[in-house]
Amino acid sequence: MTEERPAEPLTEYVQRINGRVRAFDRRHPLVWDLLLTGFWVMAALIDFMSEGWRNIALNPDAPASLVLTLSLGLSVPLLRRRTHPRAALLVIAPFAVVNAWAGTSLQATQMQLLLVYHLALRRPLRNLWWATALVTAPVCLSVLRHGEGTWSQQVGSQVTAIAAAALIGVTIRTRRDYTEALEDRARRLETERDQQARLAAAAERARIAREMHDIIGHHLSVITGLADGGRYAAAKSPDRAAQALDAIGTTSREALGELRHLLDVLREDDTAARTAELTPQPSLTDLDRLITGVRKAGLPVRTTVRGRPALAPGRQLALYRVIQESLTNTLKHAGPDATSHIDLSYEEGGAVTLTVTDTGRGAPPDAPADGRGLPGMRERTALYGGTLEAGPRPAPDHGWRVRLYLPEENPQ
């Protein structure tokens, strides 16, 4: 059994037809102008050929050639009513004056109201003043020459008709401008939405790049240190080499786990994404495991902690990643026999100061300046209004120092 299609509302049908007509007019404006102008010319000629004009003419004995000329002169210029309404009105004006002087009283003179409408629709409204005077002048001339009717009847009715035509034009113009303003606003909002989406995507890409740099860079540095140590220990102490291989396996699995968690956020599967979001990020409670892995890689690390930590998870993650990146850089650049010292100082209100120093030789001269390490640490710190300084330790000390300060957390 087929489902009956609901009847289409009349307003939607009319709007669809109107949209099609407007679309055709935009594609073929001359065709539409020729059709409407032909209609008005035909109406004027029918009035001439049927001699219906004689029923209201003040001078029914006017020559037929004059009436034909006036009929064409009052209707043909309407072809340019949309593109040049002022010029069309000025062309028609002499024919309207002759029509009033000769007393033919052709109904085609009312076509001037169509030009007044287009002036109000398409041109500055100040044009309506001289247009009103130009259209009213033939009526005044007719009253003066033929004395038909009173001034209040003739001039008043003409001014009323002009005002109605102008009011219709102004109303449609206002509605059109309002619609265009809404469409422009919608386009700007769409553009702004797309820009916000691109900015959000860029920020997300930067966050993912930062996380991947911290995860992969750190664990690969630890694995490299363990592999180097295991190679030297293989000949003299097989047990230590086996321990190094075990540590490499553990570190690799940790790296894969963290990387899998990060990539799960990008999956389209909502369940996987929610699971990834609910998986806890590293925090300060995971520092011991991080430091243990670095020590196994051959870097002695000493820690000093003052105060009691009371930080939000996001601030803890920032501290963890800065410590992780600092130790990674030490493993990569400090050289052999280097040591590292982590100094954490918690203050009341949530402020914290972190200082990570090493006794190595610092970054080599050929180290890339456009890496993600230091910029990533600064971005994490800036998220919480903090400051981060990184550079060589002041003389006479040797090595590198990273100092981070996070101010008190703003109350919500």
Side-chain angles (χ1 to χ4, degrees), residues 332-355:
K332 292 166 59 177
H333 305 303
D337 301 327
T339 62
S340 180
H341 180 212
I342 301 172
D343 188 305
L344 264 172
S345 177
Y346 301 103
E347 304 174 11
E348 294 184 2
V352 59
T353 302
L354 166 68
T355 304

Side-chain angles (χ1 to χ4, degrees), residues 50-97:
S50 65
E51 297 188 352
W53 61 275
R54 296 183 187 275
N55 298 328
I56 60 173
L58 299 176
N59 179 18
D61 298 326
S65 58
L66 175 62
V67 177
L68 177 60
T69 302
L70 292 176
S71 297
L72 294 175
L74 292 170
S75 58
V76 172
L78 293 176
L79 182 64
R80 307 306 297 272
R81 69 190 181 280
R82 293 198 293 182
T83 57
H84 299 84
R86 291 180 297 183
L89 187 60
L90 291 173
V91 171
I92 288 178
F95 294 95
V97 171

